[in-house]
Amino acid sequence: MAAVRRIHRCLGACTQSSQRAATPRRPLLTAPHHAAAVRAASPLQVRTFALSACRLRNTDDFGTGFTEEEEEEEDDEELIDDSEVEELFEQQAGIGEGQQRVFIVHPDVKWGSRKQYLTTAELMMAEAVGLVNTLDSWRVVDKIILSTKTPEKKRIFGKGNFQSLTEKIRQTAGITAVFVNVERLSPLSERELEEAWGVKVFDRYSVVLHIFRCNARTKEAKLQISLAEIPLLRSRLKNEIANLDQQGGGSRYIGGSGETLLEVQQRLLKEREMKIRAALEKLRKKRHLLRSQRKHKEFPTVSVLGYTNCGKTTLIKALTGDSGLQPRNQLFATLDVTVHAGQLPSHMTVLYVDTIGFLSQLPHQLIDSFSATLEDIKYSDLLVHVRDISHPETVNQKVNVLNVLKNLQVPDRLMSSMIEVHNKIDLIDNYQLTEPNTLPISALEERGLDELKKAVEDVIVNSTGKHILDLKVHLSSPQLSWLYKQATVQDVQVNADEGSAVVKVIISTAAYGRYKKLFTGRYDPHDQCPSTVM
């Protein structure tokens, strides 16, 4: 019953936050017997992970730019109180306390739908090691690649391989956890493996989610992570209740309420999930409003995307000269959308959007939690796909990125105009471009950026319906200053004798319509030269 007496810490805190809020909120437990149920049960403590363990090896902050929250004006009414977000964020489905000494097991699937055809077991193991090494207080003690023909079984491996693996794990001193390098373990498999090995068992979902937790800075990122942890809380709740059932005390009804302990906890989790989703939906609507404001100001947006650690942030820093950006050689260093202004060769201003990195075998539940963030990709004017061309799995990484974009239902117009960039060519001796319609660059050494900016400009001008025009203006009129504010002025050829100038501009159809409405007929029409679309 020790586990039962720990229930309130993780789930009941939602009720406490309701009582502490300045404005009245509907309590999560509304009936007296529900309150009695929680008092009698006191919640299941899902093993929490000390926040001090979340310090990453590189303590540089995120790039400045401006996040969606930073670019908005102050609201009279907060969407959700900061203290509530922090409380939800602290109610984590933690994956261990303090330091972790990890044994990594990679199941090498020999055939079937789960076999990886575009990569190797060795490269998948290297990525798993990289995930563990991203965390400050974690280190890999040992690792093994083990073949399997039955990845769908609860123990993953056949009887002989599982027995030899169990012996190896038990004989390795100091292990505190085993990382099984699969997308997601079922609650039954997780419990079975933990009982066999005597230590905590993680999968890619839980490890990646924990890296996300350590990188979260903004309110939205913390809410998204709290939402993504709900499946972990549910699976561990089932495991704990199953253990209680084996002890003969897990299924009894609580306080005469007619609800079992499992039903009470599932209901609390559901209410917590609904609360988080409601807050994220409000933030999504605000993000949509911000996008509309940017469109109204006619700033084209370019989403820079790619596999995690491909060099997106380094590239944006090189394109914009934003000294506040601090790129990190680290998986998932960027979680929050940041927007950075840069100029193209024509002096047109564009907004580069830094997005979260992608990863192979990233469960859909995790992607869904960040769908509001990734939604920015769908509303861009252009996508720039950055590839780490020096990585041995660059082809597999490209496939994974394209699959995620397909799942996000990115419009065909964006997919067809997407610019593919081969980054980190400085790491390859005698690099030769072997793929057509791609641009080789080194963001770190700022090589190939002029060609990239020109390609971005060509697509932007074409996709946004902008026009390149020559307009004759009077220097004594406000025409020139208006064009500087509302369009991109590329060149001004002054005729001092006439007091006029021919101005080469990039201007949208809407802005040009406003220009004609304001100035046509107010000055001698013979002084206007024909506008030419270039």
Side-chain angles (χ1 to χ4, degrees):
M1 294 298 292
V4 181
R5 290 193 294 269
R6 298 197 301 262
I7 285 195
H8 188 62
R9 182 174 177 180
C10 179
L11 301 175
C14 293
T15 307
Q16 294 177 3
S17 65
S18 299
Q19 295 170 348
R20 285 196 297 269
T23 56
R25 301 175 187 271
R26 184 182 66 84
L28 293 181
L29 298 177
T30 54
H33 62 262
H34 289 162
V38 173
R39 285 197 301 271
S42 228
L44 172 67
Q45 178 188 19
V46 182
R47 304 170 188 85
T48 56
F49 184 15
L51 292 180
S52 61
C54 290
R55 295 192 306 273
L56 297 178
R57 292 202 167 117
N58 189 323
T59 57
D60 289 342
D61 235 334
F62 285 110
T64 51
F66 49 94
T67 64
E68 298 289 359
E69 287 189 307
E70 288 169 340
E71 99 185 296
E72 69 191 26
E73 296 180 357
E74 291 293 326
D75 288 327
D76 294 331
E77 182 180 353
E78 286 290 332
L79 297 177
I80 183 171
D81 188 76
D82 286 341
S83 62
E84 288 186 80
V85 174
E86 289 302 323
E87 194 163 38
L88 286 166
F89 191 59
E90 289 173 6
Q91 297 163 26
Q92 57 183 303
I95 58 176
E97 295 187 8
Q99 298 181 350
Q100 294 287 358
R101 292 166 52 85
V102 183
F103 188 109
I104 303 179
V105 179
H106 177 73
D108 183 16
V109 182
K110 290 303 181 182
W111 59 65
S113 60
R114 301 194 187 189
K115 178 176 173 56
Q116 294 287 321
Y117 291 96
L118 295 177
T119 185
T120 65
E122 289 73 21
L123 289 172
M124 288 297 293
M125 173 60 81
E127 187 170 84
V129 171
L131 289 171
V132 172
N133 288 338
T134 299
L135 294 161
D136 182 34
S137 57
W138 290 39
R139 77 181 184 89
V140 178
V141 175
D142 202 353
K143 58 187 179 180
I144 187 172
I145 297 173
L146 203 58
S147 63
T148 178
K149 300 174 184 177
T150 58
E152 72 284 351
K153 301 294 185 182
K154 61 182 179 182
R155 290 192 170 188
I156 300 174
F157 303 99
K159 185 176 180 180
N161 275 351
F162 185 79
Q163 184 174 349
S164 62
L165 174 61
T166 299
E167 291 174 359
K168 184 172 177 61
I169 290 173
R170 289 178 175 175
Q171 290 170 4
T172 305
I175 293 175
T176 62
V178 175
F179 173 17
V180 182
N181 192 30
V182 297
E183 184 175 309
R184 191 80 168 88
L185 289 171
S186 69
L188 182 59
S189 290
E190 184 180 336
R191 184 171 73 247
E192 187 87 12
L193 297 178
E194 287 184 356
E195 289 176 355
W197 297 336
V199 293
K200 192 74 187 79
V201 175
F202 309 141
D203 52 23
R204 285 173 74 89
Y205 187 95
S206 55
V207 172
V208 170
L209 186 55
H210 186 57
I211 296 172
F212 282 6
R213 166 173 283 277
C214 294
N215 279 330
R217 297 293 182 271
T218 65
K219 177 188 294 186
E220 184 170 25
K222 292 178 179 180
L223 286 170
Q224 288 168 327
I225 290 163
S226 298
L227 178 63
E229 285 178 333
I230 294 290
L232 285 183
L233 287 166
R234 285 201 173 101
S235 66
R236 286 176 184 155
L237 175 63
K238 290 177 181 178
N239 282 344
E240 293 288 348
I241 296 298
N243 290 337
L244 289 175
D245 284 340
Q246 292 175 2
Q247 299 169 18
S251 60
R252 68 182 62 175
Y253 290 93
I254 304 298
S257 66
E259 287 184 297
T260 65
L261 173 60
L262 177 59
E263 290 169 341
V264 170
Q265 299 310 305
Q266 287 177 331
R267 178 173 49 76
L268 288 172
L269 269 177
K270 183 64 176 177
E271 291 179 353
R272 179 187 178 197
E273 180 181 2
M274 291 172 63
K275 182 176 183 179
I276 296 171
R277 287 191 184 278
L280 284 172
E281 177 61 19
K282 290 181 180 179
L283 288 172
R284 189 194 66 80
K285 290 179 179 178
K286 180 162 285 189
R287 185 189 296 280
H288 178 72
L289 176 62
L290 292 170
R291 276 198 301 267
S292 300
Q293 291 172 347
R294 290 202 295 261
K295 288 291 184 185
H296 180 69
K297 295 174 183 176
E298 297 179 352
F299 290 136
T301 58
V302 179
S303 284
V304 181
L305 52 90
Y307 208 83
T308 183
N309 208 31
C310 67
K312 298 183 299 297
T313 305
T314 302
L315 176 57
I316 292 175
K317 182 177 182 179
L319 290 171
T320 63
D322 189 343
S323 59
L325 277 167
Q326 297 296 328
R328 294 183 287 176
N329 184 22
Q330 198 170 75
L331 301 178
F332 299 112
T334 301
L335 283 188
D336 303 295
V337 168
T338 56
V339 183
H340 309 265
Q343 281 199 329
L344 298 177
S346 64
H347 307 296
M348 183 195 310
T349 298
V350 296
L351 301 179
Y352 292 102
V353 181
D354 198 359
T355 61
I356 183 174
F358 300 159
L359 184 74
S360 66
Q361 296 188 39
L362 197 60
H364 289 294
Q365 288 175 315
L366 205 49
I367 295 174
D368 290 345
S369 300
F370 285 81
S371 59
T373 300
L374 294 171
E375 195 176 52
D376 279 286
I377 294 173
K378 297 164 62 175
Y379 293 96
S380 304
D381 295 299
L382 172 65
L383 304 182
V384 173
H385 176 197
V386 183
R387 289 175 58 187
D388 177 359
I389 203 64
S390 70
H391 198 283
E393 286 207 271
T394 182
V395 174
N396 188 35
Q397 291 178 352
K398 175 181 177 177
V399 171
N400 282 308
V401 169
L402 295 180
N403 284 338
V404 172
L405 294 178
K406 180 180 179 181
N407 291 334
L408 289 172
Q409 297 180 328
V410 173
D412 290 339
R413 64 174 180 83
L414 286 175
M415 296 299 294
S416 61
S417 65
M418 182 166 59
I419 296 174
E420 183 177 310
V421 171
H422 286 187
N423 190 25
K424 304 187 183 182
I425 61 173
D426 53 297
L427 300 180
I428 301 177
D429 294 332
N430 302 317
Y431 172 80
Q432 297 292 325
L433 187 63
T434 57
E435 298 182 36
N437 304 318
T438 58
L439 293 175
I441 69 164
S442 168
L444 188 63
E445 297 183 353
E446 300 191 5
R447 290 160 53 188
L449 298 189
D450 290 342
E451 292 80 2
L452 175 57
K453 288 180 181 179
K454 181 64 171 62
V456 168
E457 181 173 279
D458 290 344
V459 176
I460 287 294
V461 170
N462 182 59
S463 67
T464 58
K466 291 182 180 292
H467 307 285
I468 302 178
L469 306 176
D470 289 330
L471 300 175
K472 189 173 182 180
V473 303
H474 283 277
L475 295 178
S476 60
S477 78
Q479 289 169 286
L480 185 57
S481 61
W482 190 94
L483 288 171
Y484 268 108
K485 291 179 181 178
Q486 301 295 326
T488 299
V489 176
Q490 292 185 293
D491 185 48
V492 179
Q493 298 291 331
V494 176
N495 186 330
D497 294 337
E498 294 185 3
S500 65
V502 175
V503 184
K504 187 176 184 178
V505 297
I506 299 177
I507 190 169
S508 68
T509 302
Y512 184 50
R514 294 196 299 271
Y515 174 84
K516 290 192 293 184
K517 185 176 181 181
L518 283 169
F519 300 112
T520 298
R522 295 183 60 182
Y523 303 96
D524 186 352
H526 297 292
D527 288 340
Q528 293 286 346
C529 71
S531 300
T532 56
V533 180
M534 308 296 288

